[in-house]
Amino acid sequence: ELDMLVKQWVRSEGLRQAMNWNQVEQVGGKVVCYGSFKLLVVDKESDLDLLCVVPKHVTREAFFKTLFELLAKKDEVSELRQLPWAFVPVIKMKYRGIEVDLTMARLMGSEIIPEDEEIFRTPMLTKDMDQKCLRSLNGYRATCEILQLVPSVEKFRLTLRVIKLWARRNGLYGNMLGFLGGASWAILVAKVCQLAGIEGNLGSCVNLVHRFFYTFANWNWPEPVYIKKVDAQPYPAWNPAMNHYDREHAMPIITSSVPQMNSAVNVTKT
């Protein structure tokens, strides 16, 4: 339903900018999920992370104005609010009772948005993309990539469910609150699965849970946690050698997709 709504909104924005009807019919728009739903580790407290991918004629200002106004008119939408100045700008709402975080990525090199999600993982799409859109797209890409970086997807998912439940029950879950969000917990669990190796992923996930707490109780923070290292990085990537702000990060948990970023940027030493 949200995907259809976004497609209609993108067409409306095109007509508002005097694009001809044939162009408007072709441009498209796409809503894809990432985070817990994409990883298949949903629980009753999980929110739905959605990325709205739009062509270059649709601006961020329109996202937070005209799309926001469109959502406000929907009976299915409640508790609608926007955070345009957040590190990853987002529209938050409840849609049919489900908590939804809707972010946006504007493809500057394209006026047509394909239906095939795989295209959103190609490096060429980030050309001329602004930093906020890049962070939004990075969330989707990192979610897709993490399942390819663990020895056993099944053991990874089960261990992540346990760790997320523990974090929620102990009040340690939530990026906006200065704790670790879903992406950071997923990276930490993936790191433990990698450290355990193929043999370590053959046994019970109890061993992986134990290894998780032992590993990060003894981690030498602020030494970064990587599940994939990429040598050639564009400027926006997390790089404490070049960026003094990155040196101040208390708990760097680095995404796998390029440009690699700290998923725990809101965590402080206090």
Side-chain angles (χ1 to χ4, degrees), residues 1 7 40 50 58 87 93 101 104 116 142 178 183 195 221 232 264:
E1 292 179 10
K7 284 178 167 62
L40 301 182
L50 297 177
V58 180
F87 186 69
M93 61 183 151
D101 285 355
M104 175 193 135
D116 184 6
L195 292 172
W221 304 106

Side-chain angles (χ1 to χ4, degrees), residues 145-164:
E145 195 165 41
I146 200 168
L147 296 176
Q148 300 173 348
L149 296 172
V150 293
S152 167
V153 171
E154 181 186 357
K155 290 295 167 57
F156 163 75
R157 284 175 173 152
L158 187 54
T159 306
L160 181 55
R161 282 179 179 274
V162 172
I163 296 302
K164 285 179 67 174

Side-chain angles (χ1 to χ4, degrees), residues 6 45 96-97 151 172 174 209 216 219 238:
V6 163
E45 296 178 50
R96 296 188 182 277
L172 300 173
V209 171
F216 295 112
W219 195 265
W238 187 82

Side-chain angles (χ1 to χ4, degrees), residues 4-251:
M4 288 301 300
L5 181 72
V6 163
K7 284 178 167 62
Q8 292 166 3
W9 166 65
V10 169
R11 291 192 189 102
S12 298
E13 287 300 305
L15 292 172
R16 190 176 284 115
Q17 295 174 34
M19 292 173 65
N20 70 57
W21 183 250
N22 287 336
Q23 280 181 292
V24 167
E25 281 295 293
Q26 292 176 15
V27 291
K30 181 76 175 169
V31 173
V32 294
C33 74
Y34 63 102
S36 298
F37 274 75
K38 189 77 170 176
L39 293 174
L40 301 182
V41 290
V42 182
D43 57 46
K44 63 180 181 181
E45 296 178 50
S46 295
D47 56 7
L48 176 57
D49 295 306
L50 297 177
L51 172 66
C52 170
V53 185
V54 297
K56 64 182 180 181
H57 75 269
V58 180
T59 65
R60 183 175 305 283
E61 290 73 24
F63 178 75
F64 284 110
K65 187 176 189 303
T66 56
L67 180 60
F68 187 84
E69 291 170 353
L70 196 59
L71 289 167
K73 296 174 183 176
K74 294 291 181 182
D75 293 336
E76 302 90 342
V77 175
S78 61
E79 298 180 28
L80 182 66
R81 63 259 191 220
Q82 55 175 276
L83 299 170
W85 309 116
F87 186 69
V88 179
V90 61
I91 290 176
K92 289 178 168 284
M93 61 183 151
K94 276 192 174 180
Y95 191 86
R96 296 188 182 277
I98 300 172
E99 290 279 358
V100 174
D101 285 355
L102 181 64
T103 56
M104 175 193 135
R106 181 188 185 194
L107 304 188
M108 298 304 294
S110 177
E111 268 297 359
I112 298 176
I113 305 300
E115 282 297 301
D116 184 6
E117 290 185 27
E118 286 299 309
I119 195 72
F120 302 142
R121 299 175 62 184
T122 57
M124 66 177 186
L125 282 190
T126 60
K127 181 176 171 55
D128 298 326
M129 187 177 282
D130 71 41
Q131 292 306 301
K132 291 180 178 180
C133 286
L134 202 52
R135 291 179 202 132
S136 299
L137 183 61
N138 215 14
Y140 170 79
R141 286 176 158 181
T143 301
C144 294
E145 195 165 41
I146 200 168
L147 296 176
Q148 300 173 348
L149 296 172
V150 293
S152 167
V153 171
E154 181 186 357
K155 290 295 167 57
F156 163 75
R157 284 175 173 152
L158 187 54
T159 306
L160 181 55
R161 282 179 179 274
V162 172
I163 296 302
K164 285 179 67 174
L165 180 62
W166 170 83
R168 288 187 190 278
R169 292 293 179 266
N170 286 275
L172 300 173
Y173 193 98
N175 205 22
M176 302 296 290
L177 302 173
F179 297 112
L180 300 184
S184 297
W185 290 115
I187 292 168
L188 294 183
V189 171
K191 181 65 176 180
V192 166
C193 290
Q194 289 179 338
L195 292 172
I198 295 175
E199 287 189 10
N201 282 266
L202 292 177
S204 167
C205 94
V206 171
N207 296 328
L208 290 172
V209 171
H210 180 269
R211 186 166 191 146
F212 176 92
F213 287 109
Y214 179 83
T215 298
F216 295 112
N218 294 283
W219 195 265
N220 186 28
W221 304 106
E223 180 182 332
V225 175
Y226 285 97
I227 55 173
K228 178 184 176 182
K229 278 205 173 186
V230 180
D231 293 329
Q233 292 277 339
Y235 169 72
W238 187 82
N239 188 346
M242 298 290 291
N243 188 341
H244 71 277
Y245 290 111
D246 291 346
R247 290 174 216 151
E248 299 172 6
H249 290 178
M251 208 171 176

